[in-house]
Amino acid sequence: MTLQQLTYLVTVADCGNITEAAEKLFISQPSLSAAIHNLEKEMGVTAFTRSNKGVTVTREGEELLSFARMLLEQADNMKEHFGNGERRTPKFSVSCQHYSFAVNAFVDLIKEYDAEQYSFIIRETQTGEIIEDVASGKSEIGVLYLSEHNEDVILKLIKNNQLKFEEMFVAEPHVFICKDHPLAEKAMISMEDLRPYPYLVYEQGSNNSFYFSEEFISMLDFPKSIQVRDRATLFNLVIGLNGFTVSSGVIDQKLNGSSIIAKPLDADKTMRIGIIKKKNIIFSRYASYYVEALKKHL
């Protein structure tokens, strides 16, 4: 097995077509097919199923691709760390729950490594997809939280994907509401105070269970609930419907607007916010900077 073969494997998977991948790699199609076949034979797996329409990654191929992406990323990180100063295009990807501090840290990262050319990705996405992104190598870091209600399930999933969770911040529960909300003047808000108002939560797709929820209070505790996919929609509904959501209390007026405020929730719960990453990896300089930026904003 060589890094070149792994590069070929990832390129074919990304293109979904041997011919297109060969053109992108500047090699002949027979040479590329032979290299992939030799890698499959060595690893004892069938990475792709072939058809007239192209190639489809198999289940065992997905697992092989996860390792391939990780090894290629680690090779790049080693070259960058120990190399001879070769200029490299800044490249980094993070997947996170819908947190303003995760976006703020991402902004700091781009400002620090601004260049004529770079490739940065931030995915505000569902909890299950965050774990999948880091496990598959699509993202170097994931940002999510654990609490009393979800940690057994989430930590087991993290462990099964050969990942680890590193705690960064313990938050007390807060309610995000509009500054003109009827409850805005209260110093502390109770669960009973919130019952007349719409509870806004982030939709979690096929993993739409309480364990994967970004909010640590179940929708079942309230008669009115609305599921949304993005932060802008959620905050528009907070303002337009006197709705509310439950989160960490870390809020940024530049990103979320001055109309949204955070009030302490009378609940004996905590949120352990942290990052997930692959075990025993070398972080890129961009990932290392992003983690320090997260700590600053938290």
Side-chain angles (χ1 to χ4, degrees), residues 100-101 169 171 174 176 247-252 256 262 273 297-298:
S100 59
F101 56 81
F169 178 71
H174 282 69
F176 283 9
S247 192
S248 65
V250 182
I251 195 168
D252 184 274
N256 299 329
I273 297 170
H297 287 289
L298 284 169

Side-chain angles (χ1 to χ4, degrees), residues 5 8 28-40 50:
Q5 284 177 307
Y8 290 173
S28 68
Q29 182 176 334
S31 296
L32 178 57
S33 296
I36 296 295
H37 176 73
N38 289 337
L39 179 62
E40 289 177 315
R50 282 81 167 171

Side-chain angles (χ1 to χ4, degrees), residues 85-200:
E86 176 188 356
R87 183 166 181 161
R88 307 183 68 83
T89 300
K91 182 179 178 182
F92 172 71
S93 178
V94 57
S95 296
C96 60
Q97 292 176 325
H98 298 78
Y99 298 133
S100 59
F101 56 81
V103 179
N104 285 331
F106 190 75
V107 170
D108 288 354
L109 170 72
I110 293 177
K111 288 181 177 178
E112 177 69 16
Y113 291 102
D114 193 14
E116 292 182 2
Q117 187 176 8
Y118 56 69
S119 177
F120 292 124
I121 301 172
I122 182 168
R123 298 184 180 93
E124 283 191 328
T125 188
Q126 299 166 352
T127 303
E129 289 186 353
I130 294 170
I131 297 171
E132 291 172 6
D133 285 351
V134 179
S136 67
K138 290 181 180 178
S139 288
E140 196 169 351
I141 290 175
V143 183
L144 48 71
Y145 85 97
L146 299 178
S147 71
E148 296 89 340
H149 81 263
N150 75 353
E151 64 180 352
D152 288 345
V153 171
I154 299 299
L155 282 177
K156 182 177 180 180
L157 190 57
I158 288 171
K159 182 180 179 181
N160 289 344
N161 282 278
Q162 289 78 52
L163 308 177
K164 64 182 294 186
F165 175 82
E166 293 185 358
E167 182 179 304
M168 302 185 70
F169 178 71
V170 179
E172 301 295 329
H174 282 69
V175 180
F176 283 9
I177 55 176
C178 173
K179 64 181 178 60
D180 299 320
H181 194 283
L183 301 176
E185 299 303 317
K186 292 181 70 72
M188 176 80 72
I189 295 177
S190 70
M191 297 275 284
E192 195 59 33
D193 291 333
L194 295 168
R195 287 188 65 81
Y197 304 102
Y199 185 22
L200 306 171

